[in-house]
Amino acid sequence: MAWTLQLLNDDTTLSLNDGSAYSGRAGFLAPPPPVRVAQGGANLFRHGSDIRERVYGNRSVTVTLRIHGGSQDDLIANILAVNNLIERAAEYTTTGLGSQVKLRRKWENATNQVDFHVLTGSLALGDEFGAVHSQNTTFANAVLQLTCKPFAYGAEETIENY
């Protein structure tokens, strides 16, 4: 594939765009986090009243996936694998137990990737009990909605003194 998309923690890595169990579709959305601005001081004539504090809300990331399975059991296992990682992300966020879940995005021919710390999320399958899905082993438009920390971070780099 042209780009890499992974959902991972220390124990599990799901390649969401490898073409075997998951295929990323057009529609990866990670808009800038919302900004809330607070202005310091109640009196505009006082020194320091123009100091502004910028606070960022969490980033909402949306990924549209095609989830495949060789059989109905494989399809269910692939869906549960995504849901388990989302559950682990929420558990780490609320209790600090386990390891941080990350959404890794790497563009074509890029050296470094961009990682988002996942706080929580959901996987919407649409009409999962419909007649189409009782016979087919593919969900064509599964939407993975993740709430991540406001800013992504890249690969670690070291700077040496010469």
Side-chain angles (χ1 to χ4, degrees):
M1 286 286 165
W3 47 275
T4 302
L5 185 65
Q6 294 176 328
L7 191 63
L8 66 142
N9 68 358
D10 289 344
D11 302 325
T12 307
T13 300
L14 298 178
S15 295
L16 300 179
N17 196 33
D18 65 354
S20 61
Y22 309 96
S23 298
R25 304 194 61 172
F28 179 86
L29 299 173
V35 179
R36 295 172 292 176
V37 178
Q39 188 163 347
N43 185 352
L44 294 178
F45 297 108
R46 192 177 76 200
H47 179 69
S49 65
D50 58 347
I51 296 176
R52 295 180 184 262
E53 177 186 15
R54 297 192 326 170
V55 179
Y56 294 90
N58 291 326
R59 184 183 296 257
S60 179
V61 178
T62 304
V63 181
T64 305
L65 298 173
R66 180 183 298 255
I67 302 176
H68 311 283
S71 66
Q72 290 288 331
D73 291 336
D74 290 342
L75 178 62
I76 291 168
N78 292 338
I79 292 168
L80 287 177
V82 174
N83 282 325
N84 287 340
L85 273 178
I86 292 171
E87 188 65 30
R88 295 220 175 128
E91 181 178 289
Y92 182 82
T93 300
T94 56
T95 64
L97 299 175
S99 60
Q100 177 72 57
V101 175
K102 297 176 263 190
L103 178 68
R104 176 167 288 160
R105 176 85 153 95
K106 186 174 179 184
W107 283 266
E108 182 178 5
N109 298 326
T111 304
N112 295 326
Q113 73 271 356
V114 175
D115 291 340
F116 294 96
H117 282 290
V118 178
L119 301 174
T120 187
S122 64
L123 179 65
L125 299 174
D127 185 17
E128 60 187 297
F129 296 109
V132 173
H133 297 300
S134 66
Q135 297 173 359
N136 294 336
T137 58
T138 300
F139 276 98
N141 289 315
V143 177
L144 180 61
Q145 182 73 38
L146 301 172
T147 302
C148 301
K149 288 188 177 179
F151 298 104
Y153 65 96
E156 292 182 12
E157 297 182 19
T158 58
I159 299 175
E160 297 180 7
N161 292 332
Y162 291 100

